[in-house]
Amino acid sequence: MTGNEAAVPAGRFEFANPPMLAARLIGAALVLLALLVGTGQLLTHWLRNSAITRWDGSVDRWFVQRRTPDWNTVTKVVTFGAETETVIAIGLVCFVVLRWRLGRWRESLFLAAGLIGEVTIFLGTTLLVERHRPAVPRLDSAPPTSSFPSGHTAAAVALYGSLALIAWTAARAGWLRLLATALAVLMPAAVGLSRLYRGMHNPTDVLAGALLGACWLLVAGALMLYRPEEGQCVSARAKSKVKR
């Protein structure tokens, strides 16, 4: 965050009821898991030979026909921005920096919940949905997990989306908010397109991964970042300015 921000005393905006918060997060994760598994089963069974899956294959083949050495390199670098090791490293650094700069745990714990929740839902889905990788030449070695959903896309949304939400709730500098927002939009899009280009996922896998990350962040953000007491203070300050 910025140097103009004063540290908020630890505990001022800590969670009032941690057990209830945990229960709500777990409940939301289970609902999201059920929705993803249902969608995955629909694609792999009832819609296996539908227009949707045929479209999936046509998009993957379109990317294969347009591969070039330069784009092979670019997509490999972009994919690295959402690799497990990269996400863990960036997440750990941001967790420590946020705790240090803000002087409280809320934002750091939200970041941790966003990343841990995303990977848990992703792994649960891949265990229950068996979807093969696209039938095209692949540029990467395929991990043992199912093709549905795209874990790289979900991780990119969870990581960069979490940082954007934190920037909008905790940062005062406009440039920092804009930078975080740009990363939250551009990185997942670039990662998703790279996974299609490299033959690692179907378009519906990428869309499902993006929805996984986005839906989970909306839930976690509403439960962990929103502070009704702070919103009331902001409203009160706004009213007092109008009166003056």
Side-chain angles (χ1 to χ4, degrees), residues 20-97:
M20 179 60 69
L21 172 62
R24 289 176 176 175
L25 288 172
I26 292 172
L30 291 174
V31 170
L32 185 53
L33 173 63
L35 291 174
L36 284 168
V37 170
T39 303
Q41 295 294 349
L42 192 65
L43 288 170
T44 55
H45 293 87
W46 295 280
L47 298 178
R48 182 172 53 188
N49 298 315
S50 68
I52 295 176
T53 53
R54 289 195 294 273
W55 172 73
D56 270 346
S58 67
V59 172
D60 286 311
R61 290 190 293 273
W62 186 89
F63 275 106
V64 169
Q65 293 168 4
R66 286 157 179 80
R67 287 176 179 170
T68 65
D70 289 341
W71 279 113
N72 290 353
T73 302
V74 170
T75 55
K76 185 176 182 62
V77 173
V78 171
T79 297
F80 181 75
E83 291 284 359
T84 301
E85 297 82 0
T86 307
V87 172
I88 291 175
I90 295 176
L92 285 174
V93 170
C94 290
F95 182 94
V96 173
V97 171

Side-chain angles (χ1 to χ4, degrees), residues 16-213:
N17 192 338
M20 179 60 69
L21 172 62
R24 289 176 176 175
L25 288 172
I26 292 172
L30 291 174
V31 170
L32 185 53
L33 173 63
L35 291 174
L36 284 168
V37 170
T39 303
Q41 295 294 349
L42 192 65
L43 288 170
T44 55
H45 293 87
W46 295 280
L47 298 178
R48 182 172 53 188
N49 298 315
S50 68
I52 295 176
T53 53
R54 289 195 294 273
W55 172 73
D56 270 346
S58 67
V59 172
D60 286 311
R61 290 190 293 273
W62 186 89
F63 275 106
V64 169
Q65 293 168 4
R66 286 157 179 80
R67 287 176 179 170
T68 65
D70 289 341
W71 279 113
N72 290 353
T73 302
V74 170
T75 55
K76 185 176 182 62
V77 173
V78 171
T79 297
F80 181 75
E83 291 284 359
T84 301
E85 297 82 0
T86 307
V87 172
I88 291 175
I90 295 176
L92 285 174
V93 170
C94 290
F95 182 94
V96 173
V97 171
L98 287 168
R99 176 64 183 90
W100 168 57
R101 293 292 291 156
L102 297 178
R104 60 178 182 256
W105 287 104
R106 181 176 293 270
E107 287 78 9
S108 294
L109 292 178
F110 163 70
L111 176 61
L115 298 180
I116 294 172
E118 174 273 318
V119 74
T120 302
I121 298 168
F122 162 72
L123 290 175
T125 304
T126 61
L127 288 174
L128 298 172
V129 177
E130 295 184 8
R131 192 181 196 189
H132 297 300
R133 301 279 169 177
V136 297
R138 293 189 288 269
L139 297 181
D140 298 319
S141 57
T145 54
S146 167
S147 181
F148 181 92
S150 169
H152 282 74
T153 306
V157 173
L159 174 61
Y160 301 105
S162 292
L163 296 177
L165 287 177
I166 291 171
W168 278 95
T169 57
R172 294 179 181 177
W175 68 267
L176 185 55
R177 292 181 175 186
L178 291 177
L179 176 60
T181 301
L183 284 174
V185 173
L186 296 177
M187 278 302 297
V191 168
L193 289 173
S194 295
R195 300 305 281 168
L196 294 177
Y197 176 92
R198 301 183 71 78
M200 301 308 297
H201 287 289
N202 300 292
T204 47
D205 301 332
V206 171
L207 290 174
L211 287 174
L212 187 171

